[in-house]
Amino acid sequence: EVQLVESGGGLVQPGGSLRLSCAASGFTFSSYWMSWVRQAPGKGLEWVANIKQDGSEKYYVDSVKGRFTISRDNAKNSLYLQMNSLRAEDTAVYYCARVRGLTVAYWYFDLWGRGTLVTVSS
Amino acid sequence: SYVLTQPPSVSVAPGKTARITCGGNNIGSKSVHWYQQKPGQAPVLVIYYDSDRPSGIPERFSGSNSGNTATLTISRVEAGDEADYYCQVWDSSSDLGVFGGGTKLTVL
């Protein structure tokens, strides 16, 4: 079955760190760009970061630049998000998503995990 | 940065047609994608490349994009279509993914 399964969420204090993981199965993980998208409680979707198939290119939303790092391990079919210097406004469900599209201008997300909740609070 | 504007809510009676708009500066020059999200669930892609449907999405879902407005149209609306809908583009000028604020579709 083609699926993405996130893990690693939880409660963390402001200023703390957390590492999210996403396990991919049922497709050739190394062939796709991958992404993290988040959703604060009761709010809309917000794109967070993308990573190229070989990890050589990465894009981030401005609000997480310098604090979050997206990475991947193709041998383990896994995507990661290292989150440092966490803030209350980072509280959200974090979704792992597969990126599709002819070129970057056409990117969209065709497969989503069920998400993992990150709560930043003292 | 590029901004996508959606109405917060749209209401429609069962069997009627729902139209959800997504406004953006010259959005007709971009490729627009749409997602459906039901409460407590992950988003699901329902339209990509303005008007293409993934396999498994009913023909009742269609999309269009021109000028400053993209539109998701749901024909013969069913109770199961009640959900939040989000439009999305990729802003190549800033290398950012952009979502609209979302529209809650209520089936009366």
Side-chain angles (χ1 to χ4, degrees):
Chain A
E1 181 185 1
V2 177
Q3 64 176 354
L4 298 168
V5 180
E6 301 92 338
S7 61
L11 175 64
V12 60
Q13 293 188 340
S17 298
L18 210 56
R19 188 197 196 205
L20 306 183
S21 299
C22 170
S25 59
F27 66 97
T28 306
F29 177 73
S30 59
S31 296
Y32 295 89
W33 281 78
M34 295 295 297
S35 181
W36 288 98
V37 176
R38 66 184 179 183
Q39 185 171 35
K43 302 298 184 182
L45 300 171
E46 180 183 36
W47 169 79
V48 174
N50 278 11
I51 185 169
K52 193 176 180 178
Q53 291 90 331
D54 62 359
S56 62
E57 290 185 43
K58 304 174 184 180
Y59 300 107
Y60 297 94
V61 68
D62 287 349
S63 59
V64 309
K65 282 181 181 176
R67 299 189 300 123
F68 290 11
T69 301
I70 188 172
S71 63
R72 64 193 296 164
D73 185 336
N74 288 339
K76 295 183 177 179
N77 291 330
S78 293
L79 177 72
Y80 305 102
L81 187 66
Q82 177 66 44
M83 304 185 295
N84 299 329
S85 303
L86 282 162
R87 307 166 180 167
E89 54 264 37
D90 296 317
T91 295
V93 173
Y94 284 74
Y95 295 102
C96 167
R98 187 173 71 179
V99 179
R100 299 297 300 276
L102 296 170
T103 66
V104 62
Y106 295 86
W107 277 349
Y108 61 95
F109 311 104
D110 75 325
L111 178 67
W112 298 66
R114 300 183 71 171
T116 186
L117 176 62
V118 173
T119 303
V120 184
S121 175
S122 55
Chain B
S1 60
Y2 195 76
V3 176
L4 295 175
T5 302
Q6 297 182 237
S9 62
V10 168
S11 299
V12 63
K16 300 299 185 182
T17 297
R19 293 178 179 85
I20 299 172
T21 59
C22 176
N25 183 33
N26 197 25
I27 195 173
S29 67
K30 297 183 180 299
S31 186
V32 180
H33 321 292
W34 291 90
Y35 304 86
Q36 175 194 68
Q37 186 180 34
K38 296 181 179 180
Q41 298 184 18
V44 173
L45 178 72
V46 293
I47 292 289
Y48 64 102
Y49 295 164
D50 296 340
S51 59
D52 288 350
R53 271 179 294 104
S55 60
I57 299 301
E59 291 184 7
R60 301 184 296 104
F61 287 80
S62 62
S64 63
N65 183 20
S66 178
N68 292 317
T69 304
T71 303
L72 172 69
T73 301
I74 309 172
S75 305
R76 303 181 299 283
V77 167
E78 303 173 357
D81 298 331
E82 192 162 277
D84 294 326
Y85 291 85
Y86 296 89
C87 58
Q88 176 254 317
V89 302
W90 186 265
D91 183 17
S92 298
S93 63
S94 59
D95 289 332
L96 296 175
V98 181
F99 286 95
T103 297
K104 181 177 180 57
L105 177 66
T106 299
V107 181
L108 301 171

